[in-house]
Amino acid sequence: QVQVVESGGGLVQAGGSLRLSCTASGKIFNINTMGWYRQAPGKEREFVADVTFGEGTKYEHSVQGRFTISMDSSLNTVHLQMNSLKPEDTAVYYCNAAKVTGWGRNDYWGLGTQVTVSS
């Protein structure tokens, strides 16, 4: 199995910055994609950003230009640098590690970390 642990998050004023980190451990040879999703109160979990090994990064359009996802050379830790934060970015942020193939995907999730942006 793969274990996923997030760190970072917290409370910040609008316009501020936060950095989230996530480390995958265990059978990490099972994964080829790591990323972040978020879930605001009363809403469904949504994609934020991810990085696929050897392919590159993707972002949800509302965070494009404000958030940056990066991966350590260890290939088991990703960071999400969040700048110019807005109150609508408030959510629980979940790290995802996945094995994505043409036949589907196996997902592993962290427990989530709260990000609160005050206006």
Side-chain angles (χ1 to χ4, degrees), residues 84-103:
S84 302
L85 282 161
K86 304 175 182 180
E88 51 263 44
D89 294 317
T90 295
V92 178
Y93 283 69
Y94 296 91
C95 183
N96 170 270
K99 177 70 172 180
V100 182
T101 70
W103 294 273

Side-chain angles (χ1 to χ4, degrees), residues 35-40 43-49 60-63 66-67 88-94 96 109:
W36 294 91
Y37 291 68
R38 65 186 180 187
Q39 188 167 16
K43 295 187 177 181
E44 295 188 353
R45 190 174 298 188
E46 65 175 3
F47 170 79
V48 176
E60 193 271 330
H61 73 89
S62 71
V63 307
R66 299 189 297 123
F67 291 10
E88 51 263 44
D89 294 317
T90 295
V92 178
Y93 283 69
Y94 296 91
N96 170 270
W109 295 95

Side-chain angles (χ1 to χ4, degrees), residues 32-33 51-57 71 75:
N32 59 359
T33 297
V51 52
T52 299
F53 304 168
E55 294 188 12
T57 58
M71 176 173 283
L75 300 183

Side-chain angles (χ1 to χ4, degrees), residues 2-7 20-25 27-28 30-39 45-53 56 58 69-71 75-80 92-101 104-113:
V2 176
Q3 294 77 44
V4 179
V5 178
E6 305 104 336
S7 61
L20 306 181
S21 296
C22 170
T23 297
S25 61
K27 296 182 179 179
I28 59 174
N30 283 341
I31 64 172
N32 59 359
T33 297
M34 291 186 70
W36 294 91
Y37 291 68
R38 65 186 180 187
Q39 188 167 16
R45 190 174 298 188
E46 65 175 3
F47 170 79
V48 176
D50 71 13
V51 52
T52 299
F53 304 168
K58 299 194 303 288
I69 190 169
S70 61
M71 176 173 283
L75 300 183
N76 70 331
T77 297
V78 292
H79 308 284
L80 186 69
V92 178
Y93 283 69
Y94 296 91
C95 183
N96 170 270
K99 177 70 172 180
V100 182
T101 70
R105 58 185 293 155
N106 289 326
D107 290 294
Y108 304 91
W109 295 95
L111 296 179
T113 185

